[in-house]
Amino acid sequence: MTTITSASTTTTGTMTTPAGATTPTGATPDPSAGTHPSAARRVTGGAAGSTEVPPARRATAGGAGPAGTTESASATAPPGEPATAPGTGISADAPGIPSATPATPTTSATEAPSFTPSAPPTSPAPTGPASATPHDPCTHGFLPERPPVRSMIGTWTRLDAMARAAAVAPDREAAVALVERARRAEELSALRQRVSRLSLRNAEAAAMRIAVIAVSCGWCGLDPQAPAAREVADEAFLDLWAAIAHRIDHDQFVALPTLALHNWVPERKPRRHIPIDQLARTEVLVPIVRWAPEGQPLSRLDRLMLAATRLEAHGIWLFRLAETLAGRSPDDSSTPTALRRLVRVQHALRAQLLAEATDLTAAPATPQQRAVLGALAEQGALEPPVLQAAEAVLGIGGRRMGEGRRQLLRRHLPAQHRAWLSAMDRHCAPVRTLAHRGGPDAAVYREAQESLIALRRTYTALVQAAARPAAPPLPAAA
């Protein structure tokens, strides 16, 4: 009797083989079994391993990631809190925010495939919109999976140069003249023909540069496919804009999530691979496309976009706490613990913004840069994704907001990010019922709302400081 356990199914079958029968390919017989035909022999799949691996554990009250994930941290929780901070512990690189080492899923061997199908010899170049893969914000929030593309190559260097020139243009008319010059040189049509050959990462890099050109020209509120847009903007540029939007499957990408989260690189290349949120949090960041001329200090607009990127990197634990609170009952003993940790994270994010305010206020600003900020603010395009995640958990900043207004703010995010926020709206609804209750748990919930409101006010003050006219130079001493 031979017992065979398959690695791709949980069904165990029995079969009788004569003495000397061969073991199936890739199986390893148990050396303790005898050679008699009737002796029981346990066989384990050679590639998948034993099937007695325990299944992934469900996330506990202290964990902030999804079920079946384990995270590592190098610091311990602060005094007065349990030994396990949201997920693992509080990182030393930012006060109050735990380390954001990506979660490592633990997969049961019974879920592993028994074989790997052979891949086709060739794969055609992508021509349609990029397929949206399941997004896990617990890994790196809404930051891109890899650092943005620093420099484009080939024909796309023309778009790179155009974006850099448009960002430092003295006014909108000068930026529009750059686009018209590129159209007359047929550069825009040449780029349009090559959009389908771009990988998703390079298409996102091209989208960031398109967004820089659009806001520099005053076109950030346009729909590139609308007939009315062709009366305002250059038609060839609109065609390129629409093609890029179709390639990344995101129409309303001219906003802060694209202009900030895809427009940064570390000043120096790290010596080892580290998670992208840790990279953005610990390294000195510089913009890829500068709003200030080369050789001059970073402008307020540059610093605001980098501050938004660092805010997302520091807010990684807010996404993980959102997953922890999703589906929890307000009477669950772990709910107030997670809410207290959420308060600590939001206080740390506010401290991060206050630290950014000093350098931002002292940075130079031009009328063109203030016009760009004003146009983005008018379109509701300066909303940080991490604040939208907090509002999905706690309610929209503690105030009632219509569904239309909520979707208006989220339209600048990719489809998978909008889907995650909508799921948080539904799954965190039981926790939001604490707003209508009394007792210590309800008090913790209201404290979380108040800390979110204070965080939003601090961010609004930072935007207002960036849009404020620069102080005139002091008169020279007589």
Side-chain angles (χ1 to χ4, degrees), residues 118-455:
S118 58
T122 58
S123 57
T127 57
S131 57
T133 57
H135 181 73
D136 183 14
C138 292
T139 305
H140 48 72
F142 284 174
L143 291 170
E145 295 183 3
R146 297 171 58 189
V149 176
R150 183 188 295 264
S151 300
M152 306 197 74
I153 61 175
T155 309
W156 292 98
T157 56
R158 304 175 187 176
L159 181 66
D160 210 345
M162 193 190 315
R164 297 176 192 274
V168 297
D171 49 37
R172 292 180 176 177
E173 289 72 18
V176 172
L178 290 171
V179 176
E180 292 178 348
R181 190 179 307 121
R183 174 184 55 80
R184 289 194 297 268
E186 297 186 354
E187 295 179 357
L188 298 177
S189 59
L191 293 174
R192 168 66 184 85
Q193 297 172 3
R194 290 167 171 80
V195 170
S196 61
R197 307 176 191 176
L198 288 174
S199 65
L200 177 58
R201 184 165 177 255
N202 285 322
E204 290 174 343
M208 183 273 289
R209 289 154 175 82
I210 290 289
V212 169
I213 298 172
V215 297
S216 300
C217 296
W219 299 336
C220 63
L222 296 181
D223 180 359
Q225 296 181 342
R230 302 185 180 276
E231 302 176 1
V232 179
D234 183 86
E235 184 173 353
F237 180 77
L238 291 175
D239 290 339
L240 176 61
W241 181 352
I244 291 291
H246 178 72
R247 180 69 187 91
I248 64 175
D249 195 20
H250 185 198
D251 294 333
Q252 304 288 334
F253 65 83
V254 182
L256 181 137
T258 299
L259 291 168
L261 305 189
H262 293 274
N263 188 21
W264 64 273
V265 289
E267 188 176 33
R268 62 178 182 84
K269 185 177 181 180
R271 297 180 180 178
R272 60 184 179 87
H273 173 74
I274 57 178
I276 188 168
D277 58 283
Q278 184 179 348
L279 178 69
R281 189 171 60 251
T282 59
E283 297 292 332
V284 177
L285 305 184
V286 294
I288 297 174
V289 177
R290 293 169 51 105
W291 294 96
E294 291 289 341
Q296 296 187 13
L298 294 179
S299 66
R300 291 182 184 175
L301 185 54
D302 287 315
R303 293 191 177 276
L304 178 65
M305 296 300 170
L306 292 178
T309 300
R310 282 188 286 265
L311 185 69
E312 295 297 320
H314 283 284
I316 178 63
W317 278 105
L318 194 148
F319 289 95
R320 298 178 182 177
L321 285 169
E323 291 279 1
T324 299
L325 289 168
R328 293 297 176 94
S329 168
D331 300 321
D332 195 318
S333 60
S334 63
T335 298
T337 302
L339 288 173
R340 290 189 191 95
R341 292 169 178 167
L342 185 61
V343 171
R344 293 169 56 202
V345 170
Q346 291 176 158
H347 283 329
L349 294 181
R350 185 167 180 263
Q352 173 68 25
L353 290 180
L354 291 174
E356 302 274 3
T358 303
D359 293 337
L360 185 143
T361 305
T366 65
Q368 167 68 355
Q369 295 164 3
R370 297 201 311 272
V372 168
L373 270 178
L376 291 172
E378 183 180 354
Q379 296 294 324
L382 289 175
E383 194 76 7
V386 67
L387 296 188
Q388 299 188 51
E391 292 174 347
V393 175
L394 299 173
I396 308 299
R399 358 177 253 281
R400 294 186 177 273
M401 181 180 293
E403 184 66 22
R405 173 64 175 168
R406 182 184 308 175
Q407 299 304 324
L408 185 66
L409 294 176
R410 294 179 181 177
R411 74 187 190 278
H412 299 298
L413 294 173
Q416 65 268 29
H417 296 173
R418 296 196 305 269
W420 185 87
L421 291 175
S422 298
M424 288 299 106
D425 286 334
R426 298 190 305 270
H427 297 159
C428 292
V431 175
R432 291 196 293 271
T433 60
L434 288 172
H436 312 291
R437 296 188 181 188
D441 293 352
V444 173
Y445 176 80
R446 283 188 284 273
E447 183 183 2
Q449 282 192 322
E450 291 169 0
S451 67
L452 173 57
I453 294 173
L455 174 60

Side-chain angles (χ1 to χ4, degrees), residues 456-473:
R456 174 165 289 285
R457 288 175 177 171
T458 304
Y459 176 75
T460 301
L462 192 69
V463 173
Q464 292 173 352
R468 193 176 300 126

